[in-house]
Amino acid sequence: MLVVTANDGRRRAGCLVGFASQCSIDPPRYLVCLSKKNHTFEVARATDRLAVHVLTPENRALAELFGTVTGFDDDKFARCAWRDGPDGVPLLTDCPQWFAGRVLARYDAGDHEATVLEPIAVGDRAGLGQLGFQAVRDLDAGNEA
């Protein structure tokens, strides 16, 4: 599971993401899919920078916050530690496995939009493990898919 964050210059947003994949080795590219009903989708559409945070088992509270609380109603960033990253994209302080990416393309993928990213900055920690879908399947989504 991942958390994708965005900042369009007026609003910050972030959401839990389960649909994502590395999609090229050379040049490096990564694909994340954002639900079109999500607040983060609206903010992400208005910027060309996103951050992708790889959640570890210790980050379950972040998965719950960014997966069950909707940004239409609440400021998720008031409930967690974060800092400004490259070009102002929010970075979750308690999630050291992250990368920031420049948006190269967006594609309609049904109820989600697939966004291709070119990594431009990478966090300094890796290899900490990853929180999988089975560990969060009991969470009730903040928005419909």
Side-chain angles (χ1 to χ4, degrees):
M1 300 304 297
L2 308 166
V3 170
V4 172
T5 58
N7 179 350
D8 68 3
R10 296 179 301 117
R11 304 168 292 176
R12 287 184 307 269
C15 66
L16 188 66
V17 169
F19 302 143
S21 178
Q22 179 178 340
C23 58
S24 176
I25 296 170
D26 187 17
R29 299 290 186 262
Y30 199 84
L31 180 130
V32 295
C33 297
L34 301 175
S35 170
K36 294 176 183 176
K37 294 184 179 179
N38 196 302
H39 178 254
T40 303
F41 171 75
E42 290 184 7
V43 177
R45 293 280 297 170
T47 185
D48 67 348
R49 299 287 191 269
L50 301 176
V52 177
H53 303 80
V54 180
L55 299 179
T56 68
E58 290 76 30
N59 295 133
R60 181 175 160 89
L62 287 174
E64 186 170 352
L65 173 62
F66 284 91
T68 67
V69 175
T70 176
F72 288 116
D73 299 329
D74 291 303
D75 179 3
K76 299 174 197 181
F77 296 93
R79 299 184 187 188
C80 67
W82 65 279
R83 66 181 176 84
D84 281 332
D87 299 312
V89 68
L91 298 177
L92 305 176
T93 306
D94 293 331
C95 190
Q97 297 184 119
W98 60 267
F99 74 90
R102 183 172 65 89
V103 174
L104 297 179
R106 293 180 168 99
Y107 301 99
D108 183 357
D111 57 7
H112 284 64
E113 182 174 78
T115 305
V116 178
L117 299 173
E118 172 188 36
I120 59 169
V122 179
D124 61 355
R125 301 278 310 274
L128 299 176
Q130 185 171 5
L131 183 70
F133 172 74
Q134 296 302 322
V136 298
R137 67 181 296 165
D138 62 312
L139 299 179
D140 291 324
N143 292 297
E144 294 179 18

